[in-house]
Amino acid sequence: MIRWAAAAGACVVSLDSTMNIAFPAIAAAFAVPPERVRWVIVCYVLVYAVTSLAGGALADRVGHGRVFRAGLLLSVVAFAMGALAPTFGWLLVARVVQGLGGGCVYGTAPGLVTLGVPAARRGRALGFLGAAMGLGLSAGPVVAGVLVDGFGWAAVFHLRLPLALATLAWAWVAVPAAPAPRAPRLVAARDLVRRSVLVAGALSFIANAGMFAIWLLAPFYLIAARGMDASVAGVLFMLTPLGTTLAAPLAGRLADRAGARVPAAGGLALQAAGLALLSRAEPTSPLVIVAVALFVAGFGLGMFQVPNMAVVMAAFPPLQQGAAGGFAFLARTLGVVTGVLGLAQLFAVRRLAVGLAPAAAEAFLVAAVAVAIAAVLAAVMRSGGR
């Protein structure tokens, strides 16, 4: 029940993919240019990047359940604030609060799902968590498309408020305040600068920086460049997290059986291929090409993330699994922030020169090259997995 509750919390947090389909509507509602919407991502992701490590390390001392519940409570507050946001600035404040809550959930969920799990089955446990997160990411765009078309962008916050409340009630019953012996000390810098941890973190940084070319720019490509309704765009956009969801359990089993290197390197290669194919898409390109590109990129990310997280979790002792999970999300989300800022800036500059669709294609190509380099590094470098 602890693992299921932890996975449910991560799933609710991952429903933030509803925001991506709402970006064009948010930009229109507050009269801001597309590139300024990146701050809706940054204010959330940068905060939960830092909070995930701090929350995971704190959970090792005070109990994973306490920090996990606090994260869900903060999420409830943030969803209420976002739904009522009268200005763009208020929306950004709500996203900061949401980042605090999401970081506490993400920082403790990996430790909760691996508590008591033998090392030989850690990949499967993390694959279960990855599938739950992927489910939230997959459902979000489809549901968001319907909600945004019918009720406006604020509905993506209204949707998550009761779900977060229900999960908080479940966690209050199912997740003990201190489900494991407490760590004798907080994680130290020397724990984080070991080769295995840094290599895995660097690869995750690059993979997630590249993937946010899709999370940020694909909605504008589908809705603004191709003229789709949010509902139709949501169905197509859903293919990326759906690929991640389907890949996560498979990647966990492969990591347990054959080690992390092969699925991690192969996943990065697939992600790079999907991004490269997407960079060739034009406003008149067949939708099947766009669909394949979105799915392949997401599947590749799912194949990479689970074994990569397993490497990080294995590098820390049992009483520091909160810190391990927090670091995994820190590396992931710092990559997201870098991708959002860098690719959004590239897109903003090139959009004025060549137009929306060509600028998005150039950003996809830059992301593909970066992830392809990471795939080569994953294949030739030892990061702690076989």
Side-chain angles (χ1 to χ4, degrees):
M1 291 300 293
I2 293 175
R3 294 174 196 165
W4 279 96
C11 181
V12 169
V13 174
S14 297
L15 276 170
D16 199 65
S17 58
T18 55
M19 292 294 298
N20 298 79
I21 293 300
F23 284 163
I26 290 173
F30 294 112
V32 297
E35 54 269 17
R36 193 177 173 193
V37 177
R38 62 183 163 176
W39 294 108
V40 177
I41 300 174
V42 173
C43 286
Y44 169 61
V45 173
L46 182 59
V47 172
Y48 93 62
V50 177
T51 307
S52 60
L53 177 58
L58 181 62
D60 290 331
R61 296 298 303 274
V62 305
H64 292 77
R66 289 192 178 99
V67 178
F68 182 75
R69 293 173 189 170
L72 289 172
L73 180 59
L74 285 168
S75 296
V76 169
V77 174
F79 296 150
M81 292 175 62
L84 299 172
T87 65
F88 189 70
W90 182 271
L91 177 62
L92 298 184
V93 172
R95 294 289 281 174
V96 170
V97 177
Q98 187 184 339
L100 293 171
C104 289
V105 172
Y106 277 156
T108 52
L112 286 170
V113 300
T114 56
L115 287 173
V117 175
R121 296 181 62 86
R122 185 182 288 117
R124 297 186 186 187
L126 292 172
F128 171 73
L129 177 63
M133 293 171 59
L135 178 63
L137 291 169
S138 302
V142 178
V143 175
V146 176
L147 291 176
V148 172
D149 279 343
F151 305 100
W153 66 266
V156 300
F157 287 101
H158 291 125
L159 165 71
R160 291 176 285 171
L161 183 56
L163 295 176
L165 280 169
T167 307
L168 175 61
W170 184 11
W172 208 270
V173 175
V175 182
R182 299 177 183 181
R185 62 175 178 83
L186 288 172
V187 65
R190 64 178 180 274
D191 300 316
L192 303 178
V193 297
R194 290 170 292 160
R195 177 183 172 84
S196 60
V197 177
L198 288 180
V199 170
L203 293 175
S204 182
F205 177 93
I206 298 172
N208 286 279
M211 183 53 76
F212 247 76
I214 289 179
W215 288 109
L216 177 64
L217 300 178
F220 287 101
Y221 165 75
L222 295 173
I223 295 173
R226 299 198 64 123
M228 295 181 180
D229 292 334
S231 301
V232 179
V235 173
L236 272 174
F237 189 77
M238 173 268 296
L239 292 172
T240 294
L242 177 62
T244 303
T245 304
L246 296 177
L250 173 62
R253 289 183 174 86
L254 286 175
D256 286 340
R257 293 179 181 177
R261 181 183 295 188
V262 172
L268 289 170
L270 283 174
Q271 181 188 347
L275 287 165
L277 182 59
L278 197 58
S279 74
R280 306 295 298 172
E282 299 178 351
T284 57
S285 298
L287 283 181
V288 65
I289 294 178
V290 178
V292 169
L294 291 170
F295 181 83
V296 169
F299 191 89
L301 183 65
M303 285 294 295
F304 162 76
Q305 281 186 332
V306 173
N308 185 74
M309 182 177 284
V311 168
V312 175
M313 301 295 284
F316 290 78
L319 297 185
Q320 286 188 334
Q321 290 298 285
F327 175 82
F329 277 100
L330 173 65
R332 178 184 300 191
T333 49
L334 286 179
V336 168
V337 172
T338 302
V340 169
L341 292 175
L343 294 172
Q345 186 61 36
L346 170 64
F347 171 74
V349 172
R350 295 298 295 161
R351 181 174 66 88
L352 297 176
V354 299
L356 189 149
E362 292 178 8
F364 291 138
L365 182 60
V366 170
V369 171
V371 175
I373 293 172
V376 174
L377 295 177
V380 301
M381 296 179 65
R382 297 194 61 85
S383 60
R386 294 191 300 272

